[in-house]
């Protein structure tokens, strides 16, 4: 028993000593484009922290006018102040956006459209994970409501401006967790059976299907769409689960940093020549494989129609 304990202790010690090298190995792709985007207008949801904040920082560094759209305005202002100081770009603005409330989404869109005549990049980055069962202000299960329906409505409301500003792009953040997802049309809101982990997976699958269908419907408009797996990132997204927070802290030396996690979002936002890959799924700055469920055309079309019905919109 002591021998096993000693071997385990030695193994863990070696593992943590080599953690920097392991982390570097698993850091993934890097956005290599040097393109600058002065005068471009960008909206990044959930950019007050984590991957979104690093995405906003890099876009500001490249000269864009960046809108941090987030629920917590105080955190947003703190992030914006830090980014402005770091990038010497004063055009980093904060606007309130609560994706769990369609009234807030509509208010944000109305204010933005009145303020800005252009929109070149919409990065749907915000999300919730492992949320205890609850519903949004409009009665949607929280993961589905925030991760999918909230961004679906936001994209719908801003699409006219994206078309007017073409070429423009939409980048949706999903996850490798979509592999465990299934669109359960008979129980979309988890009222019959609920597991927070699977609810997250279902919503991430919805992100991939939405992007696929969006790209199909935007052909010829000059607007393209991409969906991203950022990797396993040391961020605050697991804050609703004590167990996951513990595991995240334990294995943090092996996870991507938020800066590394932002690289694929930046690649899809900035890299030249991606237009033929509109609708595709990216990881580590390259197109990658998705599950068969994520490639199902009928499911994508049905999810689109059901989403429109739930939100009370007509999106042709």
């Amino acid at each position: 028993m002591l021998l096993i304990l000693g071997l385990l202790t030695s193994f863990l010690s070696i593992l943590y000593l080599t953690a920097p090298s392991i982390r570097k190995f698993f850091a993934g792709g890097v956005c290599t484009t040097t393109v600058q985007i002065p005068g471009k207008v960008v909206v990044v949801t959930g950019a007050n922290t984590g991957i979104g904040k690093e995405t906003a920082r890099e876009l500001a560094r490249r000269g864009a006018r960046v809108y941090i759209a987030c629920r917590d305005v105080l955190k947003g202002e703190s992030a914006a102040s830090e980014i402005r100081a770091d990038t010497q770009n004063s055009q980093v603005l904060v606007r309130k956006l609560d994706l769990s409330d369609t009234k807030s989404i509509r208010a944000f869109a109305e204010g933005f459209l009145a303020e800005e005549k252009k929109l070149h990049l919409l990065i749907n980055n915000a999300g919730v994970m492992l949320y205890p069962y609850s519903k949004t202000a409009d009665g949607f299960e929280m993961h589905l409501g925030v991760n999918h329906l909230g961004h679906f409505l936001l994209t719908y409301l801003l699409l006219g401006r994206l078309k007017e500003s073409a070429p423009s792009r939409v980048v949706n953040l999903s996850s490798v967790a979509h592999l465990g997802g299934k669109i359960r049309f008979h129980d979309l809101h988890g009222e019959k059976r609920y597991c927070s982990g699977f609810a997250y997976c279902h919503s991430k699958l919805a992100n991939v299907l939405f992007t696929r269908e969006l790209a199909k419907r935007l052909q010829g408009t000059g607007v393209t769409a991409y969906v991203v797996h950022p990797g396993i990132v040391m961020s605050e997204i697991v804050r609703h689960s004590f167990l996951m927070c513990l595991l995240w802290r334990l294995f943090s030396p092996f996870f991507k940093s938020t800066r590394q996690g932002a690289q694929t979002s930046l690649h899809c936002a900035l890299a030249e020549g991606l237009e033929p890959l509109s609708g595709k799924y990216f990881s580590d700055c390259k197109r990658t494989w998705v599950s068969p469920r994520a490639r199902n055309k009928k499911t994508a079309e049905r999810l689109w129609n059901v989403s429109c019905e739930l939100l009370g919109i007509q999106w042709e």
Side-chain angles (χ1 to χ4, degrees), residues 23-55:
R23 187 172 187 172
K24 185 177 181 181
F25 178 79
F26 286 108
V30 176
C31 176
T32 57
T33 180
T34 58
V35 66
Q36 299 296 307
I37 51 173
K40 301 294 185 181
V41 180
V42 179
V43 170
V44 187
T45 68
N48 58 310
T49 187
I51 297 169
K53 181 179 174 182
E54 293 307 315
T55 302

Side-chain angles (χ1 to χ4, degrees), residues 4-18:
I4 294 173
L5 187 61
L7 289 171
L8 182 61
T9 302
S10 298
F11 173 73
L12 290 174
S13 298
I14 293 170
L15 198 62
Y16 273 84
L17 284 171
T18 58

Side-chain angles (χ1 to χ4, degrees), residues 119-120 122 124 151-152 154-172 209-227 275-280 304 315-316:
L119 175 59
H120 302 93
L122 171 59
N124 291 320
H151 284 127
F152 187 97
L154 180 65
T155 306
Y156 165 78
L157 294 171
L158 298 181
L159 189 59
R161 195 65 91 236
L162 284 162
K163 288 180 178 178
E164 292 168 3
S165 309
S168 55
R169 296 182 182 183
V170 178
V171 179
N172 295 322
L209 291 167
F210 168 47
T211 308
R212 179 190 183 96
E213 187 66 15
L214 178 64
K216 185 181 79 174
R217 292 169 181 254
L218 289 176
Q219 288 178 4
T221 65
V223 184
T224 51
Y226 311 89
V227 61
E275 288 76 13
L277 297 178
S278 183
K280 304 306 180 185
W304 182 282
W315 192 347
E316 300 300 332

Side-chain angles (χ1 to χ4, degrees), residues 66-282:
V66 179
Y67 282 81
I68 292 176
C70 60
R71 183 175 56 85
D72 191 328
V73 175
L74 289 178
K75 282 188 177 180
E77 291 291 355
S78 176
S81 178
E82 178 187 321
I83 292 170
R84 285 192 290 264
D86 184 33
T87 64
Q88 301 301 303
N89 182 345
S90 62
Q91 298 299 296
V92 182
L93 309 168
V94 180
R95 298 293 181 267
K96 184 175 179 59
L97 171 66
D98 184 350
L99 288 161
S100 69
D101 186 347
T102 58
K103 289 182 179 177
S104 176
I105 299 169
R106 290 182 179 278
F108 168 83
E110 183 179 353
F112 176 83
L113 293 173
E115 191 172 359
E116 289 289 346
K117 301 305 178 186
K118 296 289 183 179
L119 175 59
H120 302 93
L121 284 172
L122 171 59
I123 301 182
N124 291 320
N125 165 87
V128 295
M129 180 181 181
L130 302 176
Y131 210 90
Y133 186 75
S134 59
K135 291 187 176 181
T136 68
D138 302 275
F140 310 138
E141 186 277 316
M142 190 62 72
H143 293 88
L144 182 77
V146 171
N147 297 351
H148 169 59
L149 291 171
H151 284 127
F152 187 97
L153 178 60
L154 180 65
T155 306
Y156 165 78
L157 294 171
L158 298 181
L159 189 59
R161 195 65 91 236
L162 284 162
K163 288 180 178 178
E164 292 168 3
S165 309
S168 55
R169 296 182 182 183
V170 178
V171 179
N172 295 322
L173 265 72
S174 179
S175 167
V176 71
H178 83 272
L179 296 171
K182 183 178 181 181
I183 306 302
R184 303 170 68 243
F185 289 107
H186 66 287
D187 189 24
L188 275 177
H189 304 296
E191 295 168 328
K192 297 178 182 178
R193 186 178 63 190
Y194 181 76
C195 167
S196 62
F198 280 118
Y200 176 73
C201 294
H202 302 334
S203 70
K204 294 292 101 179
L205 175 59
N207 293 149
V208 182
L209 291 167
F210 168 47
T211 308
R212 179 190 183 96
E213 187 66 15
L214 178 64
K216 185 181 79 174
R217 292 169 181 254
L218 289 176
Q219 288 178 4
T221 65
V223 184
T224 51
Y226 311 89
V227 61
V228 165
H229 166 54
I232 301 176
V233 180
M234 190 60 194
S235 71
E236 297 179 9
I237 196 168
V238 297
R239 63 188 177 277
H240 300 295
S241 169
F242 174 77
L243 178 61
M244 289 301 288
C245 285
L246 194 63
L247 289 172
W248 244 237
R249 285 188 176 275
L250 182 63
F251 292 102
S252 62
F254 312 103
F255 292 168
K256 287 184 178 183
S257 66
T258 51
R259 183 177 179 276
Q260 291 167 337
Q263 294 303 302
T264 306
S265 296
L266 291 166
H267 173 77
C268 289
L270 298 169
E272 297 171 303
L274 284 188
E275 288 76 13
L277 297 178
S278 183
K280 304 306 180 185
Y281 175 77
F282 286 75

